Amino acid sequence: MSKRVVITGLGVVAPNGVGLTEFTKAIKSGKSGITFHQNLKDKGFSCCIGGIPEVSEEKISEYLSPLQLRGFNSTSILYGVMAGIDAWKDAGFAVDENSKIDYDSGIIFGTGTSGIEKFREAIYKIDDQNVRRLGSTSVVQTMASGISAYLGGILGFGNQVTTNSSACTTGTEALLMGFERIKNGKAKRMLVGSSSDSSLYTWGGFDAMRVMTYKHNESPEKGSRPMSETASGFVPGSGGGALVLESLESALERNATIYAEVLGGNINSGGQRNGGTLTAPNAEAVQKCITDAIADANISADEIDVINGHLTATSKDALEIENWTKALNRKGTDFPYINSLKSMVGHCLSASGAIESVASVLEIKEQFIFPNINCEDIHPEILNLISEAKIPSKIIEKNVHILAKASFGFGDVNACVIFKKYSK
C-alpha cells in the first residue's frame, strides 16, 4: 500500500529573502530581490542586473566549519547547504555531527552547475603540465553531487543521497523523485531541493544567447516581467530551496508541523519533437505532463485553485498559458489564479523549481496568493485566454486548497507537482 507524503520542513535562500521569515514577508508584499551589479557591467554584459541572495560571512559560519570553508568557493553548494540545514531544523530535527547514521532519511538535491568559480580559480593558476595542483578542495566543490555530499555528511543520512540535474526542472524533479521514494516505502523522510550559483560564468552564457533583458539596467526591480507585454527577456537569479518530505505516518508519530501534502505529479520530456527543441517546449508534451500529474494526484482539473507557473518573462509565457488552458480545459474567468515568483527573484535556473515550490507550500499553509509584480501591462495574447482578474497584482487572502506547480526546462523536459492543504 502506498504511503501518503507530507511536507514537514522548509528552507530557502532567495534573492528577496534569506530564511523563511524574510522570504514569506517578501513574497506577501511583492518585494523584488533584483539589483544592479557593477561587475556585470565591467565585464561587458548586456544584462547588468540579477538576483543574488544577501549572505554575510558571519551567516556562512553558522552553516560551515572553518575546515569546510578552507579553499571554499561555490555559492551553489553554499545556498544548498543553508537551505537544506534550515529545512531539516524547521522539520524539528537537530544537526549533530556525532549523530548516529539515519538510515530512514535521504537526500535528492539538484543543481545545474557546481563550483564554476572554484574550477576557474583552480585552473587559472596552473598549466597542462601541473594538473595535480588543482588542489584537494576542488574535487567536492566541482562535482555535480557536491551539494548532496556536503549535506549528507553534515546530517548523517544513510538512505539514498544523490544529485539530479535537469536544467530549470531540477528542483521540481527532485521533489517528485523524493516523493516516489517515500510513497513506495523506501524511506521515511527525504530532504529534497535544488540550488544554483551566481557565477559570471553561468550567467555569461545566457547573456551571449541574448535571452536576458538589457532594458532595465537603470531600473532593476522592474526588469523581471512575466506575462507582461513589455517583457524583454529573463533576469538571472540564484539561490537554493529545500523541503523535508515525510511519510504521513512518521510525521504524525512525532507530532510534526505539516505544511501541506504532496498528492502526486509527473515528469516527462517532449523529445525535442513536434516544435520542441533544446530551448523550446513541445506543447503537446507540456500539456500531457500537466494532465498526467492531475491523474496521478487523483483529482480533477476543476479542483485546482492556484497555478504557480514557470513563466520566465520571455516570448514563451503566452504559450505556457495556452498550454495550461488546454490541459485544464479552463479559460477566462474559470481559469485558476496564476502567479510567477520570477517577477520578484528572476529566473533562478536550476534552483527555481525548489524556491518556487517553497513559495507554493507557504501559500497553502498561510492561505494567500502572492502577487505578480511588473505585470500592469499583461500581454494581449494572454488576456485572450484568461481573465485579468486571475493574474493578481496584489496579495489575495484566500482558501488555497489545491495548487499546481510546474517547471519546464532546457532540453524540452517538464515536471508538474500537485500540492494540497493537509487534512486527516
Side-chain angles (χ1 to χ4, degrees):
M1 184 176 177
S2 62
K3 306 278 188 180
R4 288 176 69 182
V5 181
V6 294
I7 298 161
T8 56
L10 299 174
V12 64
V13 179
N16 65 342
V18 176
L20 271 187
T21 301
E22 290 304 313
F23 181 67
T24 305
K25 285 180 187 175
I27 66 173
K28 284 184 172 181
S29 63
K31 176 186 175 183
S32 173
I34 307 300
T35 53
F36 174 80
H37 298 283
Q38 184 64 42
N39 62 336
L40 296 178
K41 183 176 182 180
D42 293 343
K43 296 290 189 297
F45 278 56
S46 58
C47 177
C48 302
I49 61 175
I52 300 178
E54 293 185 9
V55 182
S56 66
E57 293 298 322
E58 183 181 10
K59 187 73 172 175
I60 293 171
S61 67
E62 295 176 14
Y63 296 86
L64 295 171
S65 68
L67 180 61
Q68 289 168 323
L69 288 169
R70 186 183 301 167
F72 187 86
N73 189 10
S74 172
T75 51
S76 178
I77 291 175
L78 173 65
Y79 300 150
V81 165
M82 291 178 64
I85 289 176
D86 282 356
W88 191 241
K89 287 181 175 178
D90 185 52
F93 296 103
V95 176
D96 179 4
E97 63 180 13
N98 297 313
S99 63
K100 293 181 179 179
I101 299 174
D102 181 357
Y103 288 107
D104 291 323
S105 301
I107 298 171
I108 300 177
F109 213 102
T111 189
T113 55
S114 180
I116 289 182
E117 294 281 358
K118 176 63 182 178
F119 199 61
R120 191 264 178 195
E121 170 192 277
I123 64 175
Y124 183 73
K125 299 174 183 177
I126 66 171
D127 57 39
D128 290 343
Q129 301 303 314
N130 295 284
V131 177
R132 286 190 74 251
R133 293 183 185 176
L134 278 171
S136 60
T137 60
S138 68
V139 176
V140 72
Q141 291 183 58
T142 57
M143 65 185 190
S145 57
I147 175 60
S148 56
Y150 269 86
L151 279 171
I154 292 169
L155 301 176
F157 287 178
N159 206 285
Q160 182 183 24
V161 173
T162 192
T163 295
N164 69 307
S165 186
S166 295
C168 313
T169 66
T170 298
T172 309
E173 180 185 73
L175 192 157
L176 286 168
M177 291 168 71
F179 163 75
E180 290 289 343
R181 191 161 181 84
I182 298 170
K183 180 182 174 183
N184 293 330
K186 294 186 177 181
K188 285 186 178 180
R189 291 168 292 274
M190 294 295 293
L191 175 61
V192 301
S194 61
S195 60
S196 179
D197 59 25
S198 48
S199 168
L200 295 177
Y201 298 91
T202 300
W203 292 3
F206 290 106
D207 198 65
M209 292 171 66
R210 301 185 182 278
V211 292
M212 302 198 303
T213 182
Y214 61 88
K215 295 184 177 181
H216 295 275
N217 291 334
E218 305 301 321
S219 54
E221 293 185 359
K222 298 290 185 182
S224 187
R225 311 182 65 81
M227 296 183 283
S228 165
E229 185 176 12
T230 51
S232 53
F234 77 79
V235 174
S238 57
L243 306 91
V244 175
L245 306 185
E246 187 166 2
S247 71
L248 176 60
E249 182 182 36
S250 173
L252 292 176
E253 277 179 4
R254 62 186 193 86
N255 198 29
T257 296
I258 296 176
Y259 282 94
E261 183 172 0
V262 183
L263 288 185
N266 188 56
I267 303 165
N268 78 359
S269 170
Q272 299 179 44
R273 302 290 191 274
N274 302 330
T277 68
L278 187 68
T279 57
N282 174 343
E284 176 188 301
V286 167
Q287 293 167 35
K288 179 174 171 54
C289 183
I290 296 166
T291 56
D292 285 355
I294 290 169
D296 187 63
N298 197 29
I299 62 166
S300 71
D302 291 340
E303 295 180 79
I304 295 172
D305 300 305
V306 183
I307 296 166
N308 188 314
H310 187 60
L311 299 167
T312 57
T314 63
S315 60
K316 300 300 180 184
D317 284 4
L319 175 59
E320 180 179 336
I321 298 293
E322 181 181 359
N323 286 331
W324 280 106
T325 62
K326 289 180 176 178
L328 303 182
N329 194 26
R330 297 173 65 180
K331 287 186 176 183
T333 56
D334 184 47
F335 194 76
Y337 288 98
I338 188 165
N339 51 18
S340 173
L341 187 69
K342 293 180 182 71
S343 64
M344 297 183 231
V345 300
H347 191 343
C348 295
L349 305 173
S350 56
S352 60
I355 295 174
E356 291 163 15
S357 288
V358 171
S360 300
V361 171
L362 287 170
E363 288 183 287
I364 290 175
K365 180 62 175 174
E366 301 203 11
Q367 297 290 279
F368 71 96
I369 302 172
F370 66 76
N372 299 280
I373 66 172
N374 304 326
C375 200
E376 61 277 359
D377 57 340
I378 300 169
H379 199 289
E381 290 182 23
I382 293 175
L383 289 177
N384 286 336
L385 295 165
I386 65 175
S387 167
E388 183 175 359
K390 297 300 182 174
I391 306 173
S393 58
K394 294 181 180 178
I395 185 174
I396 297 176
E397 294 183 2
K398 186 184 186 309
N399 179 24
V400 180
H401 188 63
I402 294 179
L403 183 150
K405 164 72 202 132
S407 300
F408 312 115
F410 269 32
D412 199 9
V413 291
N414 313 303
C416 181
V417 59
I418 308 295
F419 297 114
K420 176 181 174 290
K421 181 179 179 182
Y422 169 69
S423 59
K424 293 182 181 179

